[in-house]
Each structure stands twice: as C-alpha cells, then as structure tokens.
Amino acid sequence: MRLLIRNIKQLVQVEEKARRLVSGKDMSVIPLISDAYLLTGSGRIMDFGRMEDLPEELKYSQKGIKIIDASGRIVFPSFCDSHTHLVYAGSREAEFADRIKGLSYEEIAARGGGILNSARLLHKTSEDDLYRQSMVRINEIIELGTGAVEIKSGYGLNTEDELKMLRVMRRIKEESPLEIRSTFLGAHALPAEYKNRREEYVDLVINEMIPLVASENLADYIDVFCDKGFFTVEDTERILMAGLKYGLLPKIHANELAFSGGVQAGVKYGALSVDHLERTGEAEIACLTGTDTVPTLLPGSAFFLGLPDPPARKMIKAGLPVAMASDYNPGSSPSGNMKMLMSLGCIRLKMLPEEALNAVTINSACAMGLSGTHGSVCRGKVANLFITKEIPSYQFLPYAFGTDLIETVILKGEIIKTLSLSKQMVN
Ligand code: NIG
Ligand code: FE
C-alpha cells in the first residue's frame, strides 16, 4: 500500500540530499515546505513537494494509494532516540522517594541500590517476562513518535543475564516495527560480588562476555559507564579496544557525575557518540571539535536527578553537532517521551526549537549510525513519520510541553496509530 499525504500545513526537516548531521549554527535551520504533499511506497519516502506541484496522476484517487488529508497538520520525521536502557525489569520509585528525601544518585548506588537494584530484579525475571515488560515501553514510545531507538544491556552484570537482555533486544528487533540498534553495556556498574575486584570484572567483560556477545551477533555497539564511582578511563580503554576487535563501535557514557576523561577516551577510540556530558568544559569541547563523535545530551536524566545541565549553547557556538536522547531507564530517566525532551532542550538547555528538532532527528540518527536512512524527510529514506493534530506551527511541539499532539504514526510506510479525536483543534 502506498500513502499519499496531502495538504500538509508544514512538512518539516526535508532534505534533497541526505546529510550525515547538522552542526553549529546550521542547527538553527529547519528546512520545510508549506502546503505540501508526501508519497510513500515500499516502506520508503518516494516523493514530496508543494501541493501546487502535485503530479497529475496523484490528483485523483487510485487503487493501491491511501490518501490522508493533513490540512492544518504538521508532518515530522519520526524521532530517533539514540540512547536508552528500556529493556529492564520492574521500576525504582522507592529510590525516587529516597532522592526527594535528600539522598544523591551516587549515595543510593554506593549502598547497593540503583543499577544493582535493577540487576537483582532482572536476574529474577524470565526472558519472556522481560520481553513482555519491554514491549509495553516499545509500544509506548511508538505512540510518542519515536521511529528508531538504541537499547543498551547493563542490568545483567553477569554473562548469562547480559545475554538474556541482548536476546530480548533481538526479539524486539524481529517483532516491532521500530528500527532498533543494540549496545552491549556489561560495564554499567560493578556487581556486588566483585567489590574491590574491579579489574577482575573488567577481565570478565573482555574475556568472556564480549566474545560471546559477538559470536551470537547480539550487539551493534559497545558502551562503558566511564565516570566517578563506576569505571575508570583505563578500564574504558581496555574494554573499547576489546570491543573494536569484534567490530563493536563505541558509544559511551561520559562526564555525567565528574570530569571523568570519558569524552577524551571516547574520541580516542572513534566513538560514534559520547553521551551525558553534564560536566563538559573547554577541554572536552576542544577534544570533540573536528571529530566524527557526536556529543549526545540527555536532559531527561539531568532534570530527573537535579544535575547541572550540559552546556549545549557553548557546544553549538563552538560549531559542534548536538544530539539529544531520552536515556529511558528506571533510575535516572523513566521516560522515553522525545517531545518532552525537546521541551527540556529548549527550556533547560536554551536550545531553539529548531536546534532541539535537529538534535532529536538527524543528529540522533547519526549518533546511532542511521542518518543514511532515518532522521529526515528525504527521498529513499524509510517512511517513518508522524502527523500532528491541528497546530499553528512546528515550534508549537516543544512549546506545548505537556500535550500529546501526535495524531498519526507511520512506520515503514504503515499507519500504526490514528487518534479518534482527529478533528479536534488543539489551540
Ligand atoms: O544513563 N548513567 C548510567 N546509566 C544510566 C542510569 C541507569 C540507572 O540508574 O538504572 C544513565 O543515566
Ligand atoms: Fe544511559
């Protein structure tokens, strides 16, 4: 079935030629077509343009083409969420209350809570149940406009449970219409039984886990939580080198809790992205400049944990490309809402709506190696799109931070969701 979307008020993030990413001051530009049409076929974007240039043969209804009228509505490329941990068991709202009462994220982790708490829950959860719980989140983010998502392991922390998580991701790849990339994050936290034996755990990750993950082809990328109280630069470099031998490109957690040296380590090993970056100074910005590593900000976790915000403005001013992702996880960001994330980017990080939109589409696609096929409206790219309710402009999306504005979700050219309230005006 082909889809023809007509009378689109604004078709945003259009490209004649696919770009890898958008940097610096170019981030404040969103190419768009007003009063537009878009045609899909075989799951791809076939054509688009101004309504006045609609080809003659598309003016009348035809067999095999479903027509959607998008009068008053905006069409966006689906969000690309390049950093999540959405395969997990249970939840951690008791720690949420502990933090409200004054404990810090690091204090909770140091007393055996945090990631280790999720690891205990995951250990007790069967693979089927883990799949079922994770699919609820997958379906939730589809409704929220996400079309591609990266998911990390890291709540296993032993070989068997890490493989369990990665197999769940493989099953999600097979069953869901989302584009999925999976990342092995064995070095997410030190398991309790390795207390004071960090090097031995790193050896286990390198000598046992990585070869098994690679032999079953379970991961696309490799990650390390390179931060104060977790893994050192030396651990990180050893793990990244071992992963690279098996073709696992790095995407790492860096500089969330301290100036950890993680940014420099990531750049040194050609990381696709370095993520978090709440602690970023001139040295980190200089180190990223001119490299292919995408700085990825996770304002949901800075917001949820009350951390300092990463210096997005300084990065953009320095000419860097900035991506944003949800970090959807039970401890620091229990939300995969990319629209809300755009609002946080604007409100907390002082990004313009245009910069925030580039950060959650083309740049976050690049941060998971997908900007050739996702992250913009470009002929030949995968037809992952969403159509809003009637709204005044694309800038209304991050502005109306608490309102669900997505009416229709299209993934691989198929309509996944249409709200029944389609005729309702929002403003
Ligand atoms: O990205 N920083 C490390 N990992 C996650 C949090 C995981 C958790 O608390 O469960 C993050 O914030
Ligand atoms: Fe994370």
Side-chain angles (χ1 to χ4, degrees):
M1 171 68 82
R2 290 196 285 166
L3 290 180
L4 173 64
I5 313 174
R6 299 163 47 112
N7 300 321
I8 303 167
K9 182 169 177 168
Q10 292 177 325
L11 177 62
V12 304
Q13 194 64 311
V14 292
E15 292 180 323
E16 285 301 322
K17 199 166 160 282
R19 296 165 295 175
R20 197 174 81 83
L21 45 66
V22 187
S23 309
K25 60 178 168 19
D26 292 344
M27 284 190 70
S28 62
V29 180
I30 289 290
L32 65 80
I33 303 176
S34 298
D35 194 20
Y37 73 90
L38 180 140
L39 179 71
T40 74
S42 307
R44 300 269 166 170
I45 295 167
M46 306 275 287
D47 199 9
F48 55 83
R50 282 144 41 118
M51 272 309 283
E52 64 192 48
D53 299 326
L54 184 71
E56 200 55 35
E57 69 274 15
L58 294 176
K59 287 193 175 145
Y60 314 98
S61 53
Q62 277 181 49
K63 227 174 125 211
I65 301 188
K66 181 176 169 53
I67 295 177
I68 301 177
D69 185 87
S71 299
R73 293 159 171 78
I74 318 271
V75 173
F76 288 82
S78 299
F79 297 126
C80 295
D81 192 351
S82 62
H83 179 140
T84 82
H85 309 247
L86 67 71
V87 169
Y88 60 84
S91 55
R92 304 216 308 259
E93 63 275 24
E95 290 175 8
F96 176 55
D98 288 341
R99 280 196 304 99
I100 294 167
K101 289 186 227 152
L103 281 181
S104 72
Y105 182 78
E106 288 145 292
E107 283 164 342
I108 291 170
R111 61 177 202 182
I115 296 168
L116 297 185
N117 187 356
S118 287
R120 279 189 295 274
L121 282 169
L122 186 125
H123 182 67
K124 289 188 270 177
T125 306
S126 72
E127 195 168 313
D128 277 344
D129 195 17
L130 188 60
Y131 171 75
R132 194 188 50 73
Q133 291 187 37
S134 306
M135 277 307 273
V136 172
R137 298 180 200 116
I138 288 286
N139 291 330
E140 176 203 7
I141 64 169
I142 288 175
E143 296 229 337
L144 291 168
T146 296
V149 65
E150 182 258 16
I151 314 173
K152 300 172 193 298
S153 71
Y155 294 120
L157 308 181
N158 63 55
T159 305
E160 197 185 322
D161 290 335
E162 283 294 310
L163 292 176
K164 175 164 85 178
M165 289 188 77
L166 289 162
R167 288 189 190 118
V168 166
M169 288 174 220
R170 181 168 62 193
R171 206 163 144 195
I172 296 173
K173 271 188 198 183
E174 288 161 6
E175 301 293 325
S176 110
L178 285 183
E179 188 67 30
I180 310 278
R181 287 292 176 273
S182 49
T183 299
F184 169 61
L185 174 55
H188 194 194
L190 194 64
E193 57 277 24
Y194 280 87
K195 201 165 182 226
N196 303 322
R197 294 192 293 138
R198 212 188 52 245
E199 270 180 35
E200 283 178 49
Y201 183 67
V202 173
D203 288 341
L204 180 79
V205 169
I206 291 174
N207 299 324
E208 186 172 291
M209 294 189 197
I210 293 176
L212 280 172
V213 169
S215 74
E216 284 193 46
N217 203 8
L218 284 170
D220 301 298
Y221 305 126
I222 188 158
D223 194 346
V224 176
F225 189 6
C226 180
D227 227 318
K228 189 173 154 221
F230 289 83
F231 293 90
T232 64
V233 167
E234 199 195 332
D235 302 331
T236 305
E237 294 202 357
R238 285 182 62 209
I239 293 170
L240 298 189
M241 264 191 288
L244 279 167
K245 276 199 206 128
Y246 289 91
L248 298 172
L249 278 183
K251 268 178 74 62
I252 71 168
H253 280 76
N255 298 48
E256 175 185 2
L257 307 170
F259 284 89
S260 64
V263 170
Q264 287 82 348
V267 168
K268 182 170 167 192
Y269 289 90
L272 210 48
S273 69
V274 286
D275 302 21
H276 270 294
L277 314 184
E278 282 81 359
R279 324 284 164 159
T280 296
E282 301 302 330
E284 285 74 19
I285 291 178
C287 170
L288 283 159
T289 301
T291 72
D292 284 343
T293 299
V294 182
T296 300
L297 312 182
L298 313 170
S301 48
F303 171 66
F304 190 75
L305 296 183
L307 299 176
D309 289 312
R313 283 259 57 88
K314 280 191 185 157
M315 293 179 187
I316 294 172
K317 187 155 180 251
L320 293 178
V322 169
M324 289 197 293
S326 75
D327 201 15
Y328 197 171
N329 77 73
S332 69
S333 182
S335 166
N337 188 333
M338 294 294 280
K339 174 181 167 297
M340 173 68 188
L341 201 80
M342 280 182 72
S343 303
L344 288 177
C346 296
I347 297 161
R348 309 271 316 185
L349 309 188
K350 305 273 179 274
M351 293 167 80
L352 295 168
E354 292 74 14
E355 291 168 335
L357 185 57
N358 276 311
V360 296
T361 55
I362 187 76
N363 286 357
S364 50
C366 185
M368 57 175 148
L370 286 178
S371 53
T373 48
H374 294 75
S376 71
V377 174
C378 183
R379 289 179 191 84
K381 280 199 179 183
V382 175
N384 280 4
L385 307 155
F386 62 82
I387 309 175
T388 65
K389 299 175 186 174
E390 286 192 33
I391 57 173
S393 65
Y394 70 85
Q395 292 95 336
F396 193 82
L397 204 75
Y399 158 82
F401 72 90
T403 313
D404 176 13
L405 297 175
I406 298 178
E407 184 172 274
T408 306
V409 170
I410 296 164
L411 292 179
K412 297 182 178 153
E414 300 285 330
I415 298 174
I416 305 288
K417 156 190 169 174
T418 312
L419 282 189
S420 50
L421 299 172
S422 61
K423 291 281 177 271
Q424 203 174 312
M425 287 281 289
V426 171
N427 61 323

